[in-house]
């Protein structure tokens, strides 16, 4: 006996209602996906922001610690709240002998032309401390052998150095914050190349500090030879209109580090 099957299907109303319900479910799932994606992006930006801040601060602390404050006092080195330029010590020692255009240190074994001008235009200088024969301003190094530095002929020592002459080899270095929030390092003399240390920097301040505290207000400190560095990075550069992160639609988070540096030289 044949079975009679119903040929009744879904009505148009049922199809429309089902489609509407499916759309609502999919829209909710999509919203959850977008929210989760933005949250993950925000977390990744926060991690990157903190890593960049720590790396930049560690580098600046290490370099400023090598500043020769006898050559560049901190009051002169800090040329703006967000800029510091100083003589960064590379080598030091006592000369064995010399002429007005050379300095010899027999105890050294330098790589040949280690201190010659670099392709990017940065230069090394040698300076002899006050009170030692040959003392004066910094003198650009033209070439070097394993034990001898040769100066540019246009800038000789006023007096030939001898075995009592204490010398420093240094390069000038600058840390500065640009208007777009990029923190740069520059090693230079008659040129040089900028190197990016961090981006999305909201705040950078150098100041002379007390031994135990930094002051963002910029009040005058005793000349104790210490530098306060305050650095704030943000997870993203905010939109100039909404002031929100363009990727996440949220307010950028910030991370602040502060260090007190005691130059060794």
């Amino acid at each position: 006996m044949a079975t009679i099957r119903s040929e009744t299907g879904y009505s148009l109303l049922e199809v429309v209602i089902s489609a509407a319900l499916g759309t609502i479910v999919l829209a909710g799932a999509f919203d959850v996906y977008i929210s989760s994606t933005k949250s993950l992006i925000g977390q990744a930006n926060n991690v990157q922001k903190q890593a960049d801040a720590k790396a930049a601060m560690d580098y600046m602390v290490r370099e400023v610690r090598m500043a020769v404050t006898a050559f560049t006092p901190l009051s002169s080195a800090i040329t703006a709240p967000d800029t510091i330029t100083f003589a960064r010590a590379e080598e030091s020692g006592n000369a064995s002998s010399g002429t007005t255009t050379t300095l010899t240190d027999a105890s050294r074994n330098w790589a040949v032309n280690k201190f010659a001008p670099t392709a990017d235009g940065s230069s090394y200088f040698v300076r002899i401390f006050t009170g030692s024969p040959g003392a004066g301003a910094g003198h650009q190094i033209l070439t070097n052998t394993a034990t001898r530095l040769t100066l540019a002929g246009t800038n000789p020592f006023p007096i030939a150095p001898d075995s009592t002459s204490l010398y420093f080899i240094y390069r000038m270095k600058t840390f500065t914050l640009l208007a777009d929030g990029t923190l740069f390092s520059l090693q230079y003399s008659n040129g040089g190349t900028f190197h990016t240390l961090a981006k999305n920097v909201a705040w950078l301040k150098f100041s002379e500090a007390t031994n135990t505290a930094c002051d963002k207000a910029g009040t005058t400190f005793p000349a104790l030879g210490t530098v306060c560095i305050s650095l704030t990075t943000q997870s993203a550069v905010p939109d100039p209109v909404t002031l929100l992160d363009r990727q996440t639609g949220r307010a950028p988070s910030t991370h602040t580090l502060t260090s007190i540096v005691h130059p060794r030289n």
Side-chain angles (χ1 to χ4, degrees), residues 54-255:
K54 187 177 187 307
M57 179 62 82
D58 288 349
Y59 182 74
M60 289 191 292
V61 167
R62 184 170 65 251
E63 294 300 293
V64 173
R65 188 173 287 134
M66 298 302 295
V68 187
T69 55
F71 299 164
T72 311
L74 297 181
S75 57
S76 300
I78 302 171
T79 56
D82 59 6
T83 303
I84 186 170
T85 299
F86 57 94
R88 198 272 190 198
E90 303 287 339
E91 301 264 0
S92 64
N94 281 94
S96 303
S97 61
T99 67
T100 55
T101 57
T102 63
L103 182 150
T104 300
D105 184 346
S107 68
R108 295 293 179 175
N109 187 26
W110 293 311
V112 174
N113 287 335
K114 175 181 179 180
F115 305 115
T118 60
D120 65 5
S122 63
S123 299
Y124 290 87
F125 295 83
V126 60
R127 182 169 175 174
I128 297 176
F129 267 109
T130 303
S132 300
H139 305 268
Q140 184 180 355
I141 300 172
L142 186 62
T143 61
N144 72 271
T145 64
T147 59
R148 177 176 296 176
L149 306 174
T150 299
L151 310 183
T154 56
N155 189 22
F157 292 120
I159 302 173
D162 60 22
S163 59
T164 65
S165 299
L166 173 63
Y167 69 88
F168 265 91
I169 298 172
Y170 66 94
R171 281 195 291 181
M172 298 304 296
K173 174 163 280 191
T174 292
F175 294 124
T176 189
L177 179 63
L178 301 188
D180 65 356
T182 302
L183 171 57
F184 272 119
S185 166
L186 174 65
Q187 292 184 136
Y188 70 98
S189 169
N190 300 315
T193 301
F194 282 104
H195 301 280
T196 301
L197 298 183
K199 293 185 176 181
N200 299 340
V201 177
W203 169 275
L204 175 66
K205 184 176 178 63
F206 300 97
S207 58
E208 290 190 71
T210 65
N211 279 321
T212 57
C214 291
D215 185 355
K216 279 191 175 183
T219 55
T220 302
F221 293 103
L224 297 176
T226 57
V227 180
C228 172
I229 307 175
S230 182
L231 171 68
T232 299
T233 57
Q234 54 189 358
S235 56
V237 176
D239 184 278
V241 177
T242 65
L243 302 181
L244 300 177
D245 185 337
R246 295 183 180 93
Q247 289 184 303
T248 65
R250 303 171 182 173
S253 60
T254 60
H255 182 65

